[in-house]
Amino acid sequence: MKDKAKLTHDLKNIVGNKYVFTSKLNKEPFSKGWRYGSGEALAVIKPGTLVEMWHVIEVCVKENLIMIIQAANTGLTGGSTPFGNDYDRPIIIINTMRINNINVINDGNQIIGLAGSTLYDLEKKLIPYGREPHSVIGSTSIGASIVGGVCNNSGGSLVKRGPAYTELALYAKVNKNGKLELVNELDISLGKNPVEILKNLDNNNYNESDIINSDKLASDDKYSTIVRDINSNIPARFNADKRLLYGASGSAGKIAVFAVRLDTYPMPKKNQVFYVGSNDVDVFWKLRREILSKFKNLPTSGDYLHRDCYDAAKKYSKDTFIVIEKLGTNFLPTLFELKRKVDHLSKKTSLLPNNLSDKLMQFMSKFWPNHLPKKIEKYRELFEHHWIIEMSDEGIEEAQRFFKKFFKENEGDFFECSEKEGNKAILHRFTAASAFGRYSALNEDDIGGTMSMDIAFPRNEKNWFEKLPKEIDDMFEMKLYYGHLFCHVLHQNYIIKKGVDPIKLKEKLFKTYDNRGAEYPSEHNVGHEYDAKKTLINFYKNLDPTNSFNPGIGRTSKLRNWE
């Protein structure tokens, strides 16, 4: 590598002084994961165009630098940041959030999303067309990127649509000879050389005649059939499913993705949220099988929340809920940046406590009145298990008839939410993920660590709710369960008791999952938290034979050429 000052000078010439960060304070929002993992980086670069991004990558390849490409940095397993400081080459983080253009094509039936474009912006852009993106809940709420979802095969909560997937993408890779290549699989005629292609895409300099009516898929077209197969002993969706590994899809940062082409979906004319409660896990098992096998219309979404997780989210995610509800997700990146700066300041000042931002926000949230509707609070008292099921259009009447009959014969109950109640129920469920992080930040000196498991159970698994052997269960201080129950994907977050070895405990947990035929991770990607299975490792090595992009992902080698 050339002299650091010379390298920094060259990178600033490409993107401008303002967008090259080298101080620890400025790098931390990009080098530390949203919930997991951190490490050192030589610099953080924020290109403003695809052409600038290409030139930055050219410099990195020439200087034998590791590249970690990230967008919103909202991943849950540390997959878009460095992890530790045992790499064999310096790291450059390339943050793409300034490259946020979205172009709607084919009369709104498809879109081209550039490297840093977000689901939130896409959702707004499609409203005039009466269309929706792949994901409209969850990831949208935290400002996640379109490309990030595709690279991670993110599943999301939408029952009809399956994991984010496309065979149409534009990306850079480093071949086995160490040479940088641009691969254009967008099926759009954009030019002959990389700079011309990227410049035309930057400027939307193409027309309908340049867009090829491709036979390649721009979405997963089989998922609605797969999720209905309730007797299969294979999970409905998981990261190592080779059916969904193609180019950018499932690439997990092993290439530099400039753009993806994706299908959009008709917006329902009407939506209705049903809030369902029960104290019997077998009732939910039966309910799931009946709906998936007999309903003409699949649910839009169906998200599960255990009572303990409900309580934790009410207490520890209250401020996140209020910020999103009152200020929208556009404010979240600003909030996260302020939060990280406050925490960095508290580390530097001995008089201030660690995790100062969490402690301040938790304290202030106590003064805000109860944010949850009375009907939902009543169900919290009545039932241990909560299921938020959203139906649309013709499916609404079908669900109304079914639920009335079902709960005359089975334990539990349901009610139809008003629009306000439905929005609050969904937001409460999706802010639950932050409760786990908040609790651990407030009690870091009194706990032995945390684990966040993302588990896909077989579609025919009756015992979907976890019952651990006592010797394992006694090792936990807190367990928070939530997930996408129609897909049999459970997010199982654990607070470990002090003195317990987290590594040995995780191995024991994985054995219980293996014994039940589960796959993991399901939708959060391997990051640095899970071992990549052989299918994924082979896919990563084929994409990135020199291990130049995001090395160490899936606990693989961090060394050049996978040594």
Side-chain angles (χ1 to χ4, degrees), residues 29-268:
F30 309 94
S31 61
K32 184 176 181 181
W34 190 54
R35 194 166 74 182
Y36 183 81
S38 63
E40 284 298 317
L42 192 67
V44 175
I45 317 298
K46 294 191 72 175
T49 66
L50 296 176
V51 173
E52 287 182 3
M53 183 174 164
W54 171 261
H55 288 320
V56 168
I57 294 169
E58 283 183 316
V59 170
C60 292
V61 173
K62 183 181 177 183
E63 298 301 325
N64 190 26
L65 301 171
I66 287 172
M67 292 161 282
I68 296 179
I69 317 291
Q70 67 173 212
N73 192 18
T74 56
L76 300 178
T77 58
S80 56
T81 62
F83 188 79
N85 298 311
D86 55 343
Y87 297 84
D88 63 341
R89 294 149 287 165
I91 296 171
I92 297 292
I93 297 172
I94 302 172
N95 183 280
T96 62
M97 291 302 286
R98 293 178 62 218
I99 311 172
N100 56 9
N101 189 40
I102 299 168
N103 197 24
V104 181
I105 62 172
N106 295 339
D107 299 319
N109 291 304
Q110 289 188 328
I111 62 97
I112 307 294
L114 299 196
S117 55
T118 67
L119 287 164
Y120 180 78
D121 287 339
L122 177 57
E123 188 176 358
K124 289 192 297 181
K125 191 147 192 172
L126 288 174
I127 288 173
Y129 296 88
R131 310 286 292 185
E132 288 182 338
H134 163 264
S135 178
V136 295
I137 324 171
S139 296
T140 313
S141 298
I142 58 172
S145 72
I146 297 168
V147 167
V150 171
C151 292
N152 291 325
N153 278 148
S154 295
S157 63
L158 300 185
V159 182
K160 303 173 189 177
R161 298 179 192 174
Y165 180 74
T166 186
E167 296 167 358
L168 299 157
L170 178 69
Y171 57 90
K173 63 180 292 185
V174 177
N175 66 26
K176 63 183 179 180
N177 300 315
K179 301 296 183 183
L180 183 63
E181 298 177 352
L182 184 69
V183 180
N184 184 5
E185 295 178 338
L186 274 179
D187 279 3
I188 300 176
S189 300
L190 291 164
K192 295 181 179 179
N193 64 70
V195 171
E196 181 186 7
I197 290 169
L198 294 168
K199 189 174 182 180
N200 283 331
L201 197 54
D202 268 324
N203 298 322
N204 291 340
N205 187 25
Y206 55 93
N207 52 47
E208 287 186 19
S209 62
D210 295 316
I211 301 171
I212 299 167
N213 188 15
S214 179
D215 291 331
K216 294 178 185 174
L217 294 177
S219 61
D220 178 6
D221 63 344
K222 295 182 174 63
Y223 187 71
S224 59
T225 302
I226 288 169
V227 78
R228 281 189 184 273
D229 186 2
I230 57 174
N231 295 314
S232 172
N233 61 0
I234 299 170
R237 55 180 167 94
F238 52 96
N239 277 156
D241 186 353
K242 58 185 178 183
R243 182 180 74 88
L244 298 174
L245 300 176
Y246 184 103
S249 296
S251 58
K254 298 305 292 179
I255 51 179
V257 182
F258 293 102
V260 292
R261 179 173 164 184
L262 292 167
D263 289 333
T264 66
Y265 301 83
M267 189 183 294

Side-chain angles (χ1 to χ4, degrees), residues 448-495:
T450 63
M451 289 190 297
S452 173
M453 300 290 99
D454 170 34
I455 312 299
F457 292 106
R459 283 163 276 174
N460 65 352
E461 173 63 78
K462 183 176 182 181
N463 299 314
W464 58 272
F465 188 72
E466 184 171 71
K467 291 184 179 178
L468 292 168
K470 188 176 187 304
E471 65 271 17
I472 298 179
D473 200 54
D474 286 346
M475 296 181 183
F476 295 117
E477 179 176 316
M478 178 187 286
K479 297 173 297 180
L480 302 179
Y481 296 116
Y482 57 96
H484 314 301
L485 203 50
F486 285 115
C487 311
H488 255 192
V489 169
L490 271 293
H491 302 314
Q492 305 186 158
N493 292 349
Y494 307 97
I495 304 292

Side-chain angles (χ1 to χ4, degrees), residues 231-383:
N231 295 314
S232 172
N233 61 0
I234 299 170
R237 55 180 167 94
F238 52 96
N239 277 156
D241 186 353
K242 58 185 178 183
R243 182 180 74 88
L244 298 174
L245 300 176
Y246 184 103
S249 296
S251 58
K254 298 305 292 179
I255 51 179
V257 182
F258 293 102
V260 292
R261 179 173 164 184
L262 292 167
D263 289 333
T264 66
Y265 301 83
M267 189 183 294
K269 295 180 178 66
K270 188 179 180 183
N271 294 295
Q272 177 62 56
V273 173
F274 295 87
Y275 202 96
V276 181
S278 178
N279 291 304
D280 187 344
V281 293
D282 287 344
V283 167
F284 274 14
W285 175 76
K286 182 180 178 182
L287 182 65
R288 171 184 171 273
R289 290 175 66 85
E290 292 270 316
I291 290 174
L292 290 177
S293 63
K294 295 180 180 178
F295 270 36
K296 181 181 178 182
N297 302 280
L298 278 174
T300 300
S301 65
D303 282 281
Y304 168 76
L305 195 66
H306 184 263
R307 177 189 277 157
D308 291 346
C309 193
Y310 180 108
D311 291 344
K314 180 181 176 181
K315 182 175 181 179
Y316 296 110
S317 301
K318 187 177 182 180
D319 53 302
T320 305
F321 181 107
I322 293 161
V323 166
I324 294 175
E325 185 183 45
K326 303 299 180 185
L327 300 177
T329 57
N330 268 359
F331 183 71
L332 283 183
T334 303
L335 178 65
F336 292 149
E337 188 171 345
L338 287 170
K339 184 179 181 302
R340 282 166 171 153
K341 285 182 177 179
V342 169
D343 288 340
H344 185 69
L345 178 65
S346 69
K347 287 177 185 176
K348 289 175 65 177
T349 308
S350 59
L351 295 175
L352 296 175
N354 285 339
N355 301 312
L356 178 60
S357 67
D358 284 290
K359 289 170 182 175
L360 284 172
M361 292 168 74
Q362 187 63 32
F363 176 74
M364 289 189 290
S365 71
K366 294 178 181 178
F367 298 98
W368 196 272
N370 187 1
H371 55 295
L372 297 176
K374 290 180 180 178
K375 280 187 183 178
I376 296 175
E377 288 279 74
K378 181 181 177 182
Y379 266 51
R380 184 262 166 231
E381 298 301 322
L382 292 172
F383 302 114

